[in-house]
Amino acid sequence: MTSDIILQANHIEKYFYDPEEFKVLNDISFSVKKGEFATLVGKSGSGKSTLLYILSTMDTDYKGELIIDGIMVTGKKQNELAALRNEKIGFVFQFHYLLNEFSCLQNIMIPALRLGNYSKKEIEERAYEKLKLLGLQDQALKTASKLSGGQQQRVAIARALINDPLIIMGDEPTGNLDSKNSDIVFDTFQMLAHEQNQTIIAVTHDNDFANKSDRIIEMMDGKIINCLKKK
Amino acid sequence: MKTHYNHNIDTNISITYVVANKKITLVAALGVTIGISIFIFMNSLGSGFVKKSNKTIFNNTPHIRVYKDDEISKSIITPKDSNSLVLISNPTVIPKSEQIVNPERIITLLRAQPEVTYVTPEIAVKVFYNSGMSQVSGDASGLEIAEASKMFNIKPSMIQGRMEDIETHSNGILLGVGIASKINAKTGDNISITSSKNITKVMKVVGIFKTNSSIVDKTKSYIGINAAQQLLGENANYITNIDVNVQDFNKAADYSAKFSALTNYKAEDWKAANSDQLNGFKMRGIIIFAMSLSILLVAGFGTYNILNMTITHRINDIAILKAMGFKGWDVIKIFVLQGTLIGLMGIAVGLLIGGVMVYFASKIYMGPDQGYFPIVLDYMVFINASLFGLVVCFFASYLPARKAANVDPVSILRK
Ligand SMILES: Nc1ncnc2c1ncn2[C@@H]1O[C@H](COP(=O)(O)OP(=O)(O)OP(=O)(O)O)[C@@H](O)[C@H]1O
Ligand SMILES: [Mg+2]
């Protein structure tokens, strides 16, 4: 495991103004290393999702700075951020957000087709690999809407992996999964972090899931109160 | 340098959306189809009207008429130095002959122009047609019937007698059907006509014609040049107008300026001669176009609504695509292409239906007076319909697409 810093947050602050001014994030500074599997925990409403959306570059309305892969992300234009997300960040949500009219395989291929680093045939092969990784190779040609909830969530994870992103972020990615599926996802994340040197940042309410990860970042009232490093 | 592949994923998604929601696609396309068909039908009708009115005008008016213009006396004569007075008088027409001097030379000159098809001298005479007690006022045209027939389509409009007889009878006259019925004259009858110079002449009706303009039929008659000269008490060289037809009557205004310079007489094109009537036609054309365009716009609103609906329906897709790194521009492309595909389908079918409608309408015979239904298949109408249809569909999808492109993924995905 190398010790390069892949993501660095400096003094991040965010306010919501509706219904009244409210400081959601208060002076958040931390960094995540390459190959690290970090979990973000804390009480409901503590600002985990809000922070994660800022880290994912989707939310640009904050103070402070964010550096991803050595690039100052703060202040970049929307289109540049989109390109950066496409190439370097994979995102998984609590809900799967698959495109219902497309097959599982096509859903997984979409970010790679957008990126265009491989030929269509190569992309298809890679998409099959990701499906296999999550135990879904039999479902490849089914329309996304015809799968079970757990299967859909795993397809969404496979989709987040297709471009071999530097960072995979998840907002309660296992929130809707049973313990068996949850374990598959955990093992996959761990394998990606430890064998492929990809970085995982996942929000979770599942204590087992958090305890098994490399590092737990605990939040309370918009602040980081604990930054446990286990190894 | 890595190779970069362009997989046209936007197009792919667009087509999938079009195919996935067949019902919605068809409803939107149907709206466009109806709009395009009506646009084509109405504008073809407009073209038909124009063609028919032009035909009516050209039954009576040459493309260009060369004549001697009235000169008006100057109303103010300004002094050359401060000692003399300013002279002010009523402007009046300077009384001069309307004769064209040396018409043969001018006719030869005009015939030599490459764009000219027919040239014929003409003498316009204001007359009264008398028969017994009844008297009808009108215009007699003295002209060379063979050339004039080609210009004004006289021969096909004959309903009695023979047009050519006007050449053999020096006193022959061809009467409009309206005059003939008013003064109760038929072919072979003698009638007397009186000119504005108060010269009366007995003429023999050698034929009766009927155009599609009742005003012409009620006033117009054709006589020989000599007869016209006699009616005006003028010599054998007297000509008032020279009528000219050109290959492309739409360019008549340009040619008239040229002919004016060439002949030193006033050359007036048919549009100037009929400007009142043509302004009316122009208004009618504008109204037809505006109405048919509004119908296309309404069809566009249909597409707009359906795209708005689609976008609301697919807001999650849009958010996740943006989260995965699709740019605003990619999102616009997806939905504009969807709208354009709907538009293209609608337009293609609309062109077909519109064309078929026009074709069958043009075969409707409305009776001997009106002839066929005045509608023409004009390829420009089809080109316009396609262009306007596409532009309307483009904007009908661009506006909702732009909204979609600005969707904030966080606000959608955090739910
Ligand atoms: N768009 C918004 N406008 C105003 N307040 C907001 C908005 N989004 C979140 N908040 C508030 O910000 C705080 C943090 O919300 P956030 O979603 O980040 O919490 P969380 O830690 O992810 O909670 P949970 O574990 O329940 O998902 C909450 O108090 C929430 O009410
Ligand atoms: Mg949350």
Side-chain angles (χ1 to χ4, degrees):
Chain A
M1 209 169 40
T2 64
S3 62
D4 314 332
I5 287 173
I6 190 76
L7 182 144
Q8 168 115 35
N10 292 332
H11 310 292
I12 288 188
E13 284 183 3
K14 182 174 173 75
Y15 291 85
F16 280 124
Y17 299 97
D18 193 32
E20 57 196 28
E21 193 178 293
F22 162 55
K23 196 169 192 175
V24 231
L25 296 178
N26 189 359
D27 195 25
I28 300 243
S29 298
F30 71 104
S31 61
V32 183
K33 291 192 185 111
K34 221 172 178 178
E36 209 170 12
F37 182 177
T39 45
L40 201 52
V41 299
K43 278 206 298 255
S44 179
S46 55
K48 305 180 295 293
S49 297
T50 308
L51 177 60
L52 199 68
Y53 286 112
I54 290 174
L55 300 183
S56 77
T57 79
M58 278 190 271
D59 186 354
T60 52
D61 182 19
Y62 58 90
K63 294 201 185 94
E65 19 174 77
L66 175 65
I67 298 160
I68 293 178
D69 194 22
I71 299 164
M72 169 65 79
V73 175
T74 310
K76 277 202 183 294
K77 293 198 188 77
Q78 284 300 335
N79 279 349
E80 294 172 301
L81 293 177
L84 182 130
R85 283 200 295 278
N86 187 214
E87 191 185 350
K88 299 190 173 168
I89 302 175
F91 213 102
V92 189
F93 305 86
Q94 194 173 350
F95 181 69
H96 58 78
Y97 293 115
L98 295 175
L99 272 56
N100 280 326
E101 282 87 3
F102 291 80
S103 72
C104 296
L105 196 67
Q106 284 171 324
N107 262 292
I108 297 173
M109 288 168 70
I110 286 172
L113 293 170
R114 168 83 280 146
L115 189 61
N117 277 353
Y118 297 98
S119 72
K120 189 149 184 181
K121 197 162 161 281
E122 288 169 303
I123 291 174
E124 202 170 312
E125 281 165 14
R126 292 168 58 82
Y128 260 112
E129 274 170 38
K130 306 296 175 199
L131 273 175
K132 215 179 270 172
L133 197 65
L134 289 145
L136 287 165
Q137 59 272 40
D138 303 336
Q139 315 294 328
L141 300 178
K142 265 199 200 165
T143 308
S145 57
K146 302 235 163 80
L147 299 185
S148 76
Q151 289 171 326
Q152 285 173 328
Q153 185 65 0
R154 282 182 285 153
V155 174
I157 292 170
R159 178 177 64 184
L161 305 181
I162 186 71
N163 284 339
D164 292 332
L166 293 172
I167 311 174
I168 297 149
M169 299 187 188
D171 192 357
E172 301 181 39
T174 58
N176 286 334
L177 297 181
D178 60 11
S179 63
K180 189 174 155 255
N181 278 312
S182 199
D183 287 344
I184 297 177
V185 172
F186 183 88
D187 293 343
T188 311
F189 280 177
Q190 186 142 43
M191 186 277 288
L192 293 172
H194 297 168
E195 286 169 32
Q196 307 203 15
N197 214 17
Q198 286 170 274
T199 306
I200 318 282
I201 305 175
V203 172
T204 184
H205 280 129
D206 180 343
N207 284 334
D208 291 343
F209 191 96
N211 287 331
K212 284 192 281 176
S213 69
D214 299 344
R215 179 177 172 198
I216 298 172
I217 301 169
E218 194 179 350
M219 287 186 73
M220 197 163 89
D221 297 336
K223 281 193 205 130
I224 292 181
I225 53 164
N226 218 330
C227 220
L228 266 178
K229 221 166 258 178
K230 301 209 288 179
K231 289 171 199 168
Chain B
M1 186 73 199
K2 276 187 288 187
T3 42
H4 184 267
Y5 298 86
N6 187 357
H7 293 300
N8 293 321
I9 180 65
D10 302 332
T11 316
N12 202 330
I13 294 176
S14 222
I15 292 173
T16 309
Y17 283 174
V18 168
V19 177
N21 282 342
K22 290 192 190 69
K23 215 167 169 184
I24 280 185
T25 302
L26 285 182
V27 168
L30 188 66
V32 177
T33 296
I34 293 171
I36 292 280
S37 317
I38 294 178
F39 182 94
I40 287 178
F41 190 82
M42 287 182 68
N43 282 284
S44 300
L45 202 59
S47 301
F49 281 147
V50 167
K51 198 176 161 194
K52 192 166 176 175
S53 345
N54 283 350
K55 210 175 142 199
T56 308
I57 287 176
F58 294 141
N59 274 340
N60 198 23
T61 316
H63 297 167
I64 296 167
R65 177 165 277 159
V66 178
Y67 63 96
K68 181 150 187 189
D69 205 4
D70 292 334
E71 281 177 49
I72 310 281
S73 62
K74 273 194 190 152
S75 54
I76 298 181
I77 298 172
T78 38
K80 293 190 180 59
D81 55 79
S82 54
N83 293 333
S84 25
L85 291 171
V86 178
L87 181 70
I88 301 179
S89 65
N90 278 335
T92 48
V93 173
I94 298 170
K96 261 193 195 165
S97 161
E98 289 176 357
Q99 179 174 11
I100 289 181
V101 180
N102 202 352
E104 281 310 317
R105 184 187 68 86
I106 292 171
I107 291 172
T108 323
L109 199 61
L110 289 171
R111 282 211 170 109
Q113 303 305 311
E115 62 272 16
V116 168
T117 51
Y118 307 121
V119 181
T120 177
E122 187 188 355
I123 304 168
V125 193
K126 296 252 176 251
V127 293
F128 287 107
Y129 307 99
N130 320 297
S131 174
M133 291 303 288
S134 51
Q135 197 176 45
V136 177
S137 71
D139 306 296
S141 265
L143 32 69
E144 284 168 1
I145 199 73
E147 191 86 351
S149 171
K150 291 180 211 151
M151 201 178 264
F152 301 131
N153 272 318
I154 301 171
K155 193 159 184 188
S157 66
M158 296 300 298
I159 55 170
Q160 252 187 44
R162 272 165 35 92
M163 181 192 82
E164 292 80 358
D165 288 349
I166 203 171
E167 283 170 332
T168 47
H169 286 76
S170 61
N171 281 338
I173 184 167
L174 300 174
L175 282 182
V177 67
I179 307 166
S181 73
K182 263 195 188 164
I183 62 171
N184 198 16
K186 55 186 185 301
T187 307
D189 288 359
N190 285 323
I191 60 167
S192 84
I193 67 175
T194 311
S195 74
S196 52
K197 293 275 159 66
N198 211 8
I199 298 170
T200 301
K201 210 166 146 42
V202 175
M203 314 262 325
K204 187 182 177 70
V205 180
V206 294
I208 291 171
F209 63 88
K210 181 177 189 319
T211 65
N212 50 14
S213 155
S214 64
I215 295 181
V216 170
D217 292 344
K218 277 179 199 155
T219 55
K220 189 91 179 180
S221 67
Y222 295 111
I223 55 179
I225 289 222
N226 293 337
Q229 286 160 347
Q230 287 161 19
L231 273 169
L232 290 172
E234 296 285 354
N235 63 20
N237 233 338
Y238 183 85
I239 293 293
T240 55
N241 312 329
I242 295 169
D243 295 346
V244 184
N245 266 20
V246 290
Q247 268 150 10
D248 183 356
F249 60 76
N250 287 315
K251 293 192 188 138
D254 303 338
Y255 296 144
S256 70
K258 180 180 156 191
F259 295 166
S260 263
L262 195 70
T263 59
N264 272 327
Y265 284 97
K266 167 129 181 149
E268 187 182 49
D269 68 287
W270 63 281
K271 282 187 178 160
N274 295 281
S275 58
D276 285 351
Q277 210 179 350
L278 286 169
N279 278 338
F281 294 164
K282 208 171 178 178
M283 278 309 296
R284 186 178 63 194
I286 290 172
I287 289 169
I288 287 180
F289 184 73
M291 277 176 63
S292 53
L293 200 60
S294 324
I295 289 167
L296 263 190
L297 279 180
V298 171
F301 269 107
T303 311
Y304 174 86
N305 278 334
I306 281 178
L307 260 124
N308 253 331
M309 233 170 70
T310 311
I311 283 166
T312 313
H313 174 66
R314 302 202 180 273
I315 196 86
N316 284 350
D317 288 10
I318 297 165
I320 192 69
L321 287 172
K322 288 193 80 177
M324 295 189 305
F326 279 61
K327 299 179 176 124
W329 171 239
D330 297 316
V331 176
I332 291 182
K333 257 178 14 196
I334 289 173
F335 291 102
V336 165
L337 186 64
Q338 193 181 344
T340 311
L341 284 175
I342 289 173
L344 281 176
M345 281 188 277
I347 289 168
V349 181
L351 290 180
L352 202 76
I353 293 181
V356 168
M357 271 164 40
V358 172
Y359 177 80
F360 281 108
S362 72
K363 296 284 175 250
I364 298 174
Y365 189 66
M366 304 205 303
D369 281 0
Q370 286 95 347
Y372 286 98
F373 196 66
I375 196 164
V376 287
L377 273 175
D378 179 356
Y379 73 98
M380 272 313 290
V381 168
F382 287 75
I383 291 177
N384 282 343
S386 314
L387 282 182
F388 284 115
L390 268 182
V391 169
V392 164
C393 285
F394 175 82
F395 282 104
S397 45
Y398 179 75
L399 298 177
R402 206 182 47 179
K403 214 178 63 188
N406 291 329
V407 160
D408 172 23
V410 177
S411 65
I412 309 291
L413 299 174
R414 62 174 299 130
K415 281 170 198 147

